[in-house]
């Protein structure tokens, strides 16, 4: 996701930061100057703050919780906006990318991964089954729709990289491990019923990865100077 980019000393916004693991990774391994993690869920933000304190990074990491809607940050605040597999939960892609562009400084970069669907039509029965198994609110869109929304917002040098071939193999390996050597360990931690549910979800996901309908994609674009 960050190939060819330097975050050294830069201010970064992590949209959909969850429990903060990646936000802190950007400081520890990419030398970001300061990372602001944003999420709509209060429990994960509390956990992220705890992790920042435990790692001695609380002066370089800030975590903000707010309800869904416009990003709660001033215009031209960040050198980079980062997001990993979180934007699919936002239905209005045009407003989303306009808001991301708004908070970027001129010349700033947007770098993300997200889970896309290969087309703009009605999802297949297999895709509907996968989304139902996840139990989350997915607002998946096609690569063409993402590019259109980024162009309308004003991003330049837009690049989308299809990661389906890579993730198909990763997901197969994860499913095999969960069914095999990891099953007992995972079940001891969270219970057999929860592990079984995740196996069913992974099996449903594998179908739409194999068919090509599920398109994990890397996204990148720049705000003009």
């Amino acid at each position: 996701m960050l190939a060819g980019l330097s975050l050294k000393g830069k201010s970064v916004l992590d949209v959909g930061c969850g429990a903060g693991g990646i936000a802190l990774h950007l400081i520890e391994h990419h030398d970001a100057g300061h990372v602001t993690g944003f999420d709509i869920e209060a429990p994960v933000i509390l956990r992220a703050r705890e992790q920042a304190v435990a790692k001695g990074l609380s002066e370089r990491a800030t975590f903000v919780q707010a309800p869904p809607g416009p990003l709660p940050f001033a215009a031209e605040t960040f050198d980079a906006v980062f997001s990993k597999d979180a934007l699919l939960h936002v239905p209005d892609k045009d407003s989303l990318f306009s808001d991301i562009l708004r908070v970027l400084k001129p010349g700033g970069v947007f770098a993300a991964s997200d889970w896309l669907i290969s087309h703009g039509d009605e999802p297949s029965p297999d895709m509907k089954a996968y989304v139902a198994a996840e139990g989350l609110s997915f607002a998946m869109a096609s690569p063409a729709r993402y590019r259109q929304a980024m162009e309308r917002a004003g991003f330049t040098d837009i690049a989308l990289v299809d990661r389906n071939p890579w993730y198909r193999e990763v997901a197969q390996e994860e499913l095999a491990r969960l069914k095999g050597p990891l099953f007992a360990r995972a079940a001891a931690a969270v219970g057999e019923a929860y592990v079984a549910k995740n196996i069913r979800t992974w099996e449903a996901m594998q179908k739409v990865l194999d068919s090509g309908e599920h398109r994990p994609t890397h996204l990148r674009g720049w705000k003009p100077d």
Side-chain angles (χ1 to χ4, degrees):
M1 292 172 63
L2 297 174
L5 295 179
S6 173
L7 298 182
K8 184 176 177 63
K10 293 184 177 181
S11 59
V12 181
L13 172 63
D14 180 4
V15 178
C17 67
I22 294 177
L24 299 178
H25 176 89
L26 297 179
I27 297 171
E28 293 177 304
H29 298 279
H30 293 271
D31 203 20
H34 190 278
V35 177
T36 300
F38 169 73
D39 205 283
I40 65 172
E41 301 287 349
V44 296
I45 289 295
L46 293 175
R47 176 60 180 153
R49 291 170 181 164
E50 292 171 355
Q51 289 198 87
V53 171
K55 290 176 174 284
L57 296 175
S58 55
E59 292 187 359
R60 296 174 63 186
T62 302
F63 292 97
V64 176
Q65 184 267 331
L71 295 167
F73 307 104
E76 300 185 1
T77 297
F78 303 99
D79 298 307
V81 173
F82 175 94
S83 183
K84 185 178 184 302
D85 307 335
L87 305 182
L88 77 161
H89 301 297
V90 181
D92 189 342
K93 307 304 182 189
D94 290 317
S95 294
L96 169 67
F97 285 110
S98 292
D99 208 28
I100 290 172
L101 191 82
R102 177 185 65 81
V103 302
L104 273 172
K105 296 177 183 178
V109 64
F110 164 71
S113 70
D114 206 25
W115 288 12
L116 280 60
I117 190 170
S118 62
H119 55 82
D121 300 323
E122 182 76 8
S124 70
D126 281 346
M127 178 61 82
K128 290 180 179 179
Y130 164 56
V131 172
E134 284 280 14
L136 298 171
S137 57
F138 283 3
M140 299 174 81
S142 68
R145 178 70 184 98
Y146 269 72
R147 180 179 289 276
Q148 179 189 61
M150 292 177 71
E151 288 175 346
R152 286 177 176 174
F155 282 97
T156 60
D157 298 321
I158 297 167
L160 281 74
V161 179
D162 181 9
R163 299 288 284 165
N164 172 280
W166 166 78
Y167 191 56
R168 282 180 65 193
E169 293 187 7
V170 171
Q172 288 172 352
E173 292 171 1
E174 290 174 338
L175 179 58
R177 291 174 65 216
L178 193 55
K179 284 182 168 181
L182 284 182
F183 185 89
R185 180 179 169 191
V190 297
E192 287 192 12
Y194 188 76
V195 177
K197 177 183 180 298
N198 277 272
I199 289 173
R200 290 193 297 271
T201 300
W202 241 243
E203 290 173 336
M205 179 176 66
Q206 195 68 55
K207 288 183 180 180
V208 288
L209 285 170
D210 290 344
S211 73
E213 189 173 17
H214 185 10
R215 311 304 299 189
T217 300
H218 286 182
L219 313 163
R220 190 175 295 185
W222 300 82
K223 183 171 183 175
D225 289 320

